[in-house]
């Protein structure tokens, strides 16, 4: 996939450089090895591997985290409601017990 220069906003927040090719920025994610690589690494050590642009990986992770955060918030609300219901029921039982 082709990327315009303006599409790299998330990537440019980081100053990641390749440990093997110190002047090369890490702009690719090797899905095969699960690591960040530079263009030179992609053409050499990772030649036959599957890749994604770092920008795309970051965006996908951001979306995944946002979705998980929403699910966790929903679960937190459900748990709070359940806890309140249990406490209300406990209070009702205590009231009944005091009357006996």
């Amino acid at each position: 996939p082709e990327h315009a220069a303006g599409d790299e906003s998330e990537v440019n927040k980081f100053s990641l450089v390749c440990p093997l090719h110190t002047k090369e920025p890490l702009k690719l994610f090797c899905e095969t090895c699960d690591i960040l690589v530079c263009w030179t690494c992609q053409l050499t050590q990772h030649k036959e591997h599957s890749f994604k642009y770092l920008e795309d990986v970051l965006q996908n992770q951001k979306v995944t985290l946002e979705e998980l955060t929403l699910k966790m918030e929903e679960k937190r609300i459900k748990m709070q409601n359940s806890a309140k219901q249990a406490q209300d029921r406990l209070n009702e039982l205590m009231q009944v017990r005091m009357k006996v």
Side-chain angles (χ1 to χ4, degrees), residues 7-15 26-27 54-55 58:
D7 289 346
E8 299 180 1
S9 59
E10 290 292 323
V11 174
N12 287 336
K13 291 179 184 177
F14 307 101
S15 59
L26 297 171
K27 299 266 184 174
L54 178 56
E55 180 71 24
L58 289 173

Side-chain angles (χ1 to χ4, degrees), residues 16 19 26-30 34-38 41 46 54 57:
L16 302 172
L26 297 171
K27 299 266 184 174
L28 300 169
F29 180 75
C30 177
D34 201 32
I35 61 170
L36 297 175
V37 296
C38 72
C41 286
H46 303 267
L54 178 56
V57 172

Side-chain angles (χ1 to χ4, degrees), residues 4-94:
D7 289 346
E8 299 180 1
S9 59
E10 290 292 323
V11 174
N12 287 336
K13 291 179 184 177
F14 307 101
S15 59
L16 302 172
V17 291
C18 180
L20 299 175
H21 310 100
T22 55
K23 301 218 188 247
E24 288 282 335
L26 297 171
K27 299 266 184 174
L28 300 169
F29 180 75
C30 177
E31 293 181 306
T32 306
C33 299
D34 201 32
I35 61 170
L36 297 175
V37 296
C38 72
W39 290 104
T40 304
C41 286
Q42 187 259 340
L43 294 171
T44 56
Q45 294 99 325
H46 303 267
K47 193 186 311 189
E48 301 296 323
H49 296 185
S50 175
F51 290 91
K52 284 191 177 174
Y53 286 99
L54 178 56
E55 180 71 24
D56 294 340
V57 172
L58 289 173
Q59 186 58 38
N60 289 342
Q61 289 299 312
K62 182 178 178 182
V63 168
T64 300
L65 286 172
E66 288 169 351
E67 289 170 352
L68 288 172
T69 300
L70 285 174
K71 286 180 183 177
M72 291 296 291
E73 180 63 16
E74 290 170 4
K75 288 187 185 284
R76 184 186 67 79
I77 289 169
K78 286 180 182 177
M79 287 180 66
Q80 281 181 327
N81 290 338
S82 294
K84 184 178 181 332
Q85 288 174 351
Q87 186 63 50
D88 291 347
R89 182 68 180 134
L90 184 59
N91 290 341
E92 287 174 18
L93 291 171
M94 295 295 276

